[in-house]
Amino acid sequence: MSRRASLPGASELFRITSSPALDLPPAPAQPAPSTGNGTGNGSADGDGQAHKNQLTRAARSGSGRTKHDAKITVYVSGDELLAMEQARLNLRAKHGLVLDRGRLVREAVAVLLADFDAAGEESVLVQRLRAGAEGGKETEN
């Protein structure tokens, strides 16, 4: 028996892995942006604004498992992190959805922003931020 450790080869280390749970449906095709109202100045009229809102809502979906070019750091409390992990594990156990924390956060942000685009003043985001500001919870700069 050899005392040397048995390590995997390069073909095993760099193989492409895929799982049906990780395969995402193709992104919906985005319509071409409008060129304005035909007057040549490129200004959007009422129809152009509706088209812009439609594109914005279509773009409001989590980006899934792709390479991202921007990064932010968000600090959360221990209770918030625990709740996020419990939600992630619940999605896996009860719904068969395997995802990491980043994907969970991206989807949550997409849902919240889509609601804000659709509901404006009545959105969950505005209501929660107003309730937090009235309660004196606003401590971030």
Side-chain angles (χ1 to χ4, degrees):
M1 179 163 168
S2 173
R3 296 180 124 188
R4 184 173 245 178
S6 175
L7 299 174
S11 61
E12 292 175 356
L13 288 174
F14 300 108
R15 65 187 167 92
I16 296 175
T17 59
S18 66
S19 168
L22 297 179
D23 291 339
L24 300 174
Q30 298 263 342
S34 80
T35 58
N37 58 7
T39 60
N41 62 6
S43 65
D45 56 0
D47 292 335
Q49 184 64 31
H51 180 70
K52 179 182 172 193
N53 289 344
Q54 182 183 21
L55 286 176
T56 303
R57 269 185 246 122
R60 296 278 192 233
S61 62
S63 55
R65 293 183 62 90
T66 62
K67 179 159 174 46
H68 298 92
D69 57 350
K71 177 183 177 180
I72 64 170
T73 300
V74 178
Y75 292 92
V76 297
S77 69
D79 290 340
E80 290 167 332
L81 182 60
L82 181 61
M84 190 176 358
E85 282 298 316
Q86 287 174 337
R88 192 179 67 79
L89 293 172
N90 192 349
L91 286 166
R92 183 179 194 159
K94 294 184 179 175
H95 303 285
L97 297 170
V98 179
L99 62 150
D100 58 18
R101 285 187 230 160
R103 171 97 188 274
L104 180 64
V105 169
R106 287 189 300 274
E107 289 295 335
V109 168
V111 167
L112 194 65
L113 293 176
D115 177 56
F116 178 66
D117 286 344
E121 286 284 317
E122 303 301 319
S123 68
V124 173
L125 178 63
V126 172
Q127 291 175 7
R128 289 182 61 101
L129 290 174
R130 281 196 177 134
E134 292 169 1
K137 294 181 185 176
E138 194 68 29
T139 59
E140 304 232 1
N141 30 343

